[in-house]
Amino acid sequence: MNIYFARHVHDWDGGDWIRFLFDRKAVAIQFDGDESWDPEDYSGSGGGKSAIRYLNELNAGNEDAFIFASYSFDGQAHVVCGRPRVGSKRFLSELDDCPVDGRPIRPLKVLFLDDVRPVGRDEFPLAYLLAPPLTTFVRWRSVERVAIPWVQNRPVDLLDPGTYLPASIEVACEEYMRVAGLLNRKILRIGGTMAAFDIVGFGQQGPILAQVKNGGSPNSIINAANRMIDEAGETDAKLYLFCPRASIPVFGSQVSLISVEDALQTLKNSYGEEYLRSLQSARFTSSSAGAG
């Protein structure tokens, strides 16, 4: 299953077209001012080629997919989720109920949705907090691991690292280090300039350096551990490497290997399931980050 995101932000000609699309459970794109469904008729920049190609594939029913669609009107974003309706693509001008009361008819490419349901901010906050910025219609790969269980209405395994976004796993591993007494204070933020380390700080025994790997083979984990050793140099820092249990290799004692599953289990025992649910839904993310 693939997940897509359609973004409707700027209305066209002040014609209230976004509300028109929202009411009809439709998504729309506009590139280069052309009425064409051929990707080759669109310039290489701005995402036109890929957006048209995606809509053509979804219209043909070539894949199992859901579309999250955000519509900005009345000063806020309204998000829905639905399946693309096979064979429903149209130009705006071809719609029977397209209003012609003085509003210019833009060359919009429209695709309708079925099985549509509203997406509330508390229900699935990622659709608001991590909406792809400055895009019209894209494959929403960054959240598929979380969005797919949600659209399928199936319970999410709180101890499965694969159901979290990478940033959430980094937060979980850092908090685990605090709970386990390994980290007393940080001196660099996650996502800093030190490529080999995600967590830099001090514990009771001195400086600590940690890396979080969200996947990879045992050999790739060994390579990451060796890189940590090289980057740490002659420092006396304690080294920790987090990775999924299935990826943990046999390794020497210079780097302590900790499974992400153990970190999640510790946090569940310490803080309860609600903490993990918040991590999975990225509720800790700033409400202004990527808002649609």
Side-chain angles (χ1 to χ4, degrees), residues 110-132:
V110 179
L111 184 71
F112 289 87
L113 304 178
D114 286 327
D115 304 323
V116 176
R117 57 170 160 166
V119 181
R121 286 184 178 271
D122 291 334
E123 187 180 7
F124 192 71
L126 293 180
Y128 295 86
L129 302 179
L130 297 181

Side-chain angles (χ1 to χ4, degrees), residues 263-280:
L264 294 172
Q265 182 66 65
T266 297
L267 295 177
K268 178 182 177 182
N269 295 342
S270 299
Y271 298 148
E273 291 188 353
E274 184 56 34
Y275 178 81
L276 295 184
R277 291 194 186 95
S278 294
L279 282 181
Q280 282 187 328

Side-chain angles (χ1 to χ4, degrees), residues 25-86:
K25 301 178 175 60
V27 297
I29 62 175
Q30 174 187 232
F31 288 95
D32 297 349
D34 292 332
E35 279 202 350
S36 171
W37 290 99
D38 185 350
E40 297 308 314
D41 288 340
Y42 296 85
S43 62
S45 61
K49 286 182 181 292
S50 60
I52 295 294
R53 187 175 68 253
Y54 289 148
L55 282 188
N56 282 334
E57 292 172 353
L58 295 170
N59 178 73
N62 291 337
E63 60 183 72
D64 186 18
F66 275 86
I67 298 174
F68 284 82
S70 176
Y71 307 82
S72 294
F73 58 86
D74 292 343
Q76 59 182 318
H78 306 261
V79 181
V80 301
C81 176
R83 289 186 177 276
R85 184 186 304 168
V86 175

Side-chain angles (χ1 to χ4, degrees), residues 180-218:
L182 302 175
L183 175 67
N184 290 345
R185 58 192 184 277
K186 261 177 50 173
I187 60 174
L188 288 176
R189 66 178 179 84
I190 283 180
T193 58
M194 300 181 68
F197 307 108
D198 295 309
I199 304 168
V200 179
F202 286 91
Q204 293 182 353
Q205 306 302 318
I208 65 101
L209 298 168
Q211 169 80 322
V212 180
K213 302 294 289 184
N214 292 291
S217 66

Side-chain angles (χ1 to χ4, degrees), residues 92-115:
L92 182 67
S93 59
E94 297 174 344
L95 301 184
D96 292 336
D97 62 347
C98 182
V100 291
D101 51 353
R103 285 184 277 182
I105 306 301
R106 285 279 181 168
L108 302 182
K109 275 68 71 173
V110 179
L111 184 71
F112 289 87
L113 304 178
D114 286 327
D115 304 323

